[in-house]
Amino acid sequence: MKQNPDYAGPILEIEDLSISFFTRLREIPAVMDFSVTVQPGEAVGLVGESGCGKSTVALGVMQDLGVNGRVVGGTIKFKGRDLAEMSPSELRDIRGNEIAMIYQEPMASLNPAMKVGKQLMEVPMLHDDVSEKEAYDMALQTVTDVKLPDPARILESYPHQLSGGQQQRIVIAMALMSKPALLILDEPTTALDVTVEAGIVQLVKELGTKYGTSMLFISHNLGLVLETCDRICVMYSGEAVEDGRIADVFDKMRHPYTQALFRSIPLPGADKTARPLVAIRGNFPLPHERPPGCNFGPRCDYFEAGRCDARPIPMEDVEPGHHSRCLRWDEIDWAAPPEATETPPPNPPGDPVLKVSNLKKYYQVAANALFGGGEERVVKANETLDFEARESETLAIVGESGCGKSTLAKMLMGLETATDGTIVMGNEEIQSKPIEERGPGQVSQIQMVFQNPFDTLNPSMTVGRQIIRALEVFDYGANDAERRERMLQLLDLVKLPREFAGRMPRQLSGGQKQRVGIARAFAGDAKIVVADEPVSALDVSVQAAVTDLLMEIQREQKTTLLFISHDLSIVRYLADRVMVMYLGHVVELGTTDEVFAPPYHPYTEALLSAVPIADTKVAKKHIVLDGDIPSAMNPPPGCPFQTRCRWKSEVPGGLCEKEVPPMRTFGAHQIKCHLSDEQLARMEPVIQIAAE
């Protein structure tokens, strides 16, 4: 039963909200003095770093704070009614019916033992008391609305039979089944590829318009918020520090934290030498250790002692509809560029240190992989890879999940051996040498920095011991004293205090853990470092610091960096050359400037279009790819990209469906495509920056 169907005021009003969690030791204030309003049909973005209280606000709206969470001040009103005053049965009616929430991890919302159709049908049958036939028809329509192929088959599938992007679309469909007045999205695209993310974002916008749904969009990605929201609220350490219309906050920001966030993300104009990213100094305060006065004070470039730390700072009107929690917002010169930092030029690339020729990796798997049996099938994970990497160079390897990036990394590291082709490191072939057959010298020469710093450190070993253990494996030093001194030097190298040697991993933040991972990778003076999504699990401000650190170490050690990523913004900023992979093939290879300007491979064009850019001056061509990457067990005939390519009709004779295209060279730029030179020359830039 819908509440207040004729209500015409704000859908959601949060006023002076404070939420605390209570432990045996103390009260931990998670959200303080927080206010936001969401009007009918409006999308409001809630942004900030991990731990700032975004998800706590969402759980407060859902009245789902657990046994130790409590609203200790302020109100949350939905359609004019205070949620705290509603009975449990009224809240049950509202949750999932009028207020729906989409979580970061789709499988947390799906029952693995129930077919998708049954789970979708439950929503209207439970909330609207409709018949099973009506519920099925509604489920079929909603799955069609979220643009899933073959909706009838999808309804008969179990969640594990769908890809991550398809699972997330089902969760969105489930949330929209009862046409809620308010949809809360908590980082709904973080675990997805940029191409899938672009499709989900487009879908959310279209469905929000179709159903007139209001949205609270929680994200740390400012580019996504720009593309999806009407207004934005920036949070820091439990407080809203700035809010307003998207154009006001993006172009006329009036809080130092908002400015610092924008300076730490790589926008199209950023240059790693001329205009490097500026990391936010210091660390995020723990909830029970917040400073007096302004929470951002200890990290702020404009801090004034005796004034900014004298009393709690209220939100002030900058202009109608635009507010800032800063005493000095009207004194600061917001147009001034960041202080120039002396960044030494990168070393020119040297001789090749890694050569990969005609490399292939095939896996034999049973047709029925779960229970065995059936004929054997071949999975072509990597297909005829050819490239080289030079000393002091950053080569980025980009592509969606399933394109073969990680399989290539495993072969380089010796965790897999090649089916065919060669990998030459130094003067030795290593493609057939598993890691256990490589000597300490070979192992130390090529090292890896992993995506998730939380999974790569031993929780029962101190930081210092973990680095010393790596030094022992590499046969470094004659005794423990030499190894300990080298360990302390490595902590200096990654800018961690030497006293961290005695700390356990649980005492470190995500960014600090990733620095320990980098220190361990460089313990044996690695010549080549494979960095597999090394910053994607980190907040944007920490990303800037870790990226800067990797470049600084590269300059000092002349390391070759193979940077695996799907984030083309960071790739554009960091890489010297870019290699684009799709379904095991290299489809484009060239310098960063060549790959980011037309002519593109059609897949690169779509990747560039999918990247959310946090800049209102950037105009972007909109290309959304249909479908997911085909299975490597059953690849399409001809060009691997032809099932999703928007240019296929321009190639005569159905050539794209018959033959794998040859790799064509334009100077040092290589593109694997059947399009003619004239057709490639007609391509227009995907990203255009408006003149100031």
Side-chain angles (χ1 to χ4, degrees):
M1 185 71 185
K2 301 284 182 187
Q3 310 263 337
N4 302 2
D6 301 323
Y7 180 76
I11 294 295
L12 181 69
E13 282 178 284
I14 301 177
E15 205 168 318
D16 304 329
L17 178 69
S18 295
I19 296 174
S20 291
F21 290 90
F22 293 85
T23 68
R24 284 177 298 176
L25 291 176
R26 61 172 73 89
E27 174 187 351
I28 298 174
V31 173
M32 302 158 301
D33 185 29
F34 178 83
S35 300
V36 76
T37 303
V38 184
Q39 300 292 344
E42 184 179 51
V44 176
L46 203 53
V47 301
E49 296 170 277
S50 302
C52 72
K54 306 186 299 288
S55 295
T56 305
V57 169
L59 293 173
V61 174
M62 298 299 285
Q63 297 288 295
D64 185 23
L65 291 166
V67 290
N68 62 342
R70 207 175 306 155
V71 174
V72 293
T75 56
I76 306 172
K77 290 181 181 175
F78 174 71
K79 290 188 175 179
R81 289 192 61 198
D82 191 336
L83 290 169
E85 294 173 359
M86 291 187 187
S87 67
S89 64
E90 286 178 306
L91 285 171
R92 266 198 307 276
D93 278 345
I94 282 182
R95 287 193 200 112
N97 185 20
E98 295 228 51
I99 305 176
M101 187 158 174
I102 297 168
Y103 294 89
Q104 184 169 342
E105 174 49 61
M107 278 309 288
S109 309
L110 295 173
N111 184 334
M114 275 175 77
K115 287 183 178 177
V116 164
K118 201 86 171 160
Q119 298 188 53
L120 288 170
M121 288 161 63
E122 272 189 341
V123 179
M125 288 170 73
L126 194 68
H127 287 294
D128 298 328
D129 200 24
V130 303
S131 70
E132 195 167 326
K133 171 75 172 71
E134 284 177 288
Y136 180 84
D137 291 343
M138 290 171 72
L140 196 64
Q141 180 57 48
T142 314
V143 171
T144 308
D145 284 349
V146 296
K147 298 183 179 167
L148 280 168
D150 196 354
R153 182 187 63 80
I154 294 280
L155 292 183
E156 286 298 309
S157 303
Y158 287 95
H160 71 268
Q161 294 173 304
L162 308 180
S163 70
Q166 289 174 333
Q167 288 172 2
Q168 193 62 290
R169 283 169 189 256
I170 290 298
V171 172
I172 291 171
M174 197 181 293
L176 292 168
M177 282 292 286
S178 61
K179 300 182 177 54
L182 177 66
L183 184 60
I184 301 172
L185 302 102
D186 190 0
E187 302 270 14
T189 60
T190 300
L192 305 177
D193 283 310
V194 283
T195 48
V196 180
E197 178 180 79
I200 297 280
V201 166
Q202 178 71 11
L203 174 72
V204 166
K205 283 161 65 178
E206 287 173 6
L207 295 176
T209 305
K210 177 177 177 177
Y211 293 117
T213 307
S214 302
M215 287 190 279
L216 189 62
F217 193 96
I218 297 171
S219 182
H220 66 267
N221 187 325
L222 289 160
L224 269 187
V225 169
L226 171 63
E227 291 188 3
T228 47
C229 297
D230 307 301
R231 288 193 304 116
I232 181 174
C233 177
V234 182
M235 287 188 77
Y236 180 80
S237 190
E239 295 179 327
V241 294
E242 185 167 8
D243 67 41
R245 292 185 310 114
I246 289 285
D248 290 339
V249 175
F250 274 62
D251 297 337
K252 296 180 284 182
M253 59 194 72
R254 290 296 179 266
H255 193 280
Y257 176 60
T258 313
Q259 184 188 59
L261 269 185
F262 275 90
R263 285 180 174 177
S264 64
I265 57 176
L267 296 173
D271 180 285
K272 63 181 178 182
T273 306
R275 288 178 60 190
L277 301 182
V278 182
I280 305 175
R281 58 190 166 89
N283 289 316
F284 202 75
L286 294 171
H288 57 283
E289 294 177 356
R290 292 188 175 107
C294 176
N295 281 341
F296 189 59
R299 307 176 74 187
C300 180
D301 293 334
Y302 310 106
F303 179 76
E304 201 174 285
R307 184 180 171 198
C308 295
D309 53 3
R311 59 184 176 83
I313 315 292
M315 283 289 251
E316 290 187 19
D317 286 351
V318 174
E319 57 188 357
H322 185 187
H323 311 95
S324 172
R325 196 183 293 272
C326 179
L327 293 176
R328 303 195 58 202
W329 68 264
D330 57 347
E331 303 167 17
I332 296 166
D333 180 2
W334 298 100
E339 283 185 28
T341 50
E342 282 297 313
T343 306
N347 300 314
D351 295 329
V353 293
L354 182 73
K355 288 186 181 178
V356 173
S357 304
N358 200 33
L359 188 68
K360 299 179 183 179
K361 178 60 183 176
Y362 296 169
Y363 294 96
Q364 298 281 341
V365 297
N368 185 343
L370 189 60
F371 301 108
E375 63 188 85
E376 288 220 325
R377 306 280 289 276
V378 174
V379 176
K380 297 182 177 182
N382 283 152
E383 188 71 88
T384 57
L385 304 187
D386 281 283
F387 68 93
E388 61 183 31
R390 305 181 186 94
E391 182 185 78
S392 294
E393 179 182 54
T394 300
L395 172 66
I397 304 169
V398 301
E400 295 168 282
S401 303
C403 73
K405 306 187 298 286
S406 295
T407 303
L408 170 60
K410 286 176 185 174
M411 285 191 284
L412 295 175
M413 299 303 298
L415 301 173
E416 297 277 5
T417 53
T419 304
D420 195 9
T422 58
I423 303 172
V424 179
M425 186 174 69
N427 294 315
E428 294 183 80
E429 291 192 8
I430 58 170
Q431 71 278 357
S432 302
K433 266 193 180 180
I435 193 160
E436 54 268 24
E437 291 178 18
R438 297 184 185 182
Q442 279 186 329
V443 172
S444 66
Q445 276 203 332
I446 182 162
Q447 283 291 296
M448 194 155 180
V449 178
F450 294 91
Q451 178 171 357
N452 195 336
F454 303 91
D455 294 341
T456 52
L457 299 180
N458 186 329
S460 58
M461 240 186 231
T462 64
V463 165
R465 181 72 200 117
Q466 303 203 39
I467 298 172
I468 288 172
R469 179 81 191 90
L471 292 167
E472 289 170 351
V473 170
F474 301 147
D475 287 345
Y476 183 92
N479 52 44
D480 286 346
E482 284 187 20
R483 283 189 281 271
R484 178 166 176 78
E485 182 53 35
R486 173 65 178 153
M487 178 269 292
L488 294 172
Q489 289 170 2
L490 285 163
L491 288 179
D492 294 341
L493 182 72
V494 297
K495 295 185 169 55
L496 284 176
R498 288 189 167 200
E499 55 266 26
F500 273 39
R503 290 197 182 182
M504 304 300 281
R506 67 175 181 273
Q507 296 172 288
L508 273 56
S509 69
Q512 289 167 340
K513 285 179 184 170
Q514 193 61 296
R515 285 165 186 260
V516 175
I518 292 168
R520 208 168 49 176
F522 282 92
D525 291 325
K527 294 279 181 285
I528 302 165
V529 170
V530 181
D532 188 2
E533 303 269 13
V535 295
S536 65
L538 306 174
D539 280 313
V540 286
S541 57
V542 183
Q543 278 184 14
V546 171
T547 304
D548 190 43
L549 173 70
L550 280 169
M551 290 191 302
E552 195 173 312
I553 295 173
Q554 184 182 45
R555 280 193 296 270
E556 288 176 16
Q557 313 264 339
K558 294 192 174 179
T559 318
T560 302
L561 198 59
L562 298 183
F563 192 86
I564 297 173
S565 182
H566 68 264
D567 183 348
L568 287 174
S569 299
I570 202 91
V571 163
R572 182 176 199 152
Y573 173 73
L574 191 65
D576 302 306
R577 287 192 303 136
V578 180
M579 182 166 92
V580 183
M581 290 186 69
Y582 185 83
L583 201 60
H585 293 255
V586 174
V587 296
E588 186 162 4
L589 177 63
T591 66
T592 306
D593 288 341
E594 287 169 339
V595 171
F596 277 77
Y600 315 104
H601 186 279
Y603 177 56
T604 310
E605 180 188 47
L607 277 182
L608 289 171
S609 162
V611 178
I613 298 171
D615 191 337
T616 56
K617 294 185 284 296
V618 169
K620 213 169 55 165
K621 190 181 286 186
H622 202 65
I623 304 162
V624 174
L625 289 180
D626 291 327
D628 298 308
I629 285 192
S631 165
M633 195 187 291
N634 188 23
C639 173
F641 186 59
Q642 53 100 349
T643 56
R644 301 167 80 194
C645 182
R646 74 190 190 103
W647 289 82
K648 184 169 75 169
S649 60
E650 303 226 358
V651 178
L655 191 61
C656 297
E657 296 172 9
K658 296 174 188 168
E659 292 179 23
V660 175
M663 184 65 93
R664 295 168 43 213
T665 56
F666 304 84
H669 188 190
Q670 300 177 320
I671 298 177
K672 186 181 270 192
C673 186
H674 283 305
L675 287 171
S676 68
D677 290 3
E678 294 76 26
Q679 287 165 324
L680 287 170
R682 285 208 317 268
M683 281 189 167
E684 296 171 352
V686 172
I687 297 168
Q688 289 186 308
I689 304 168
E692 300 255 347

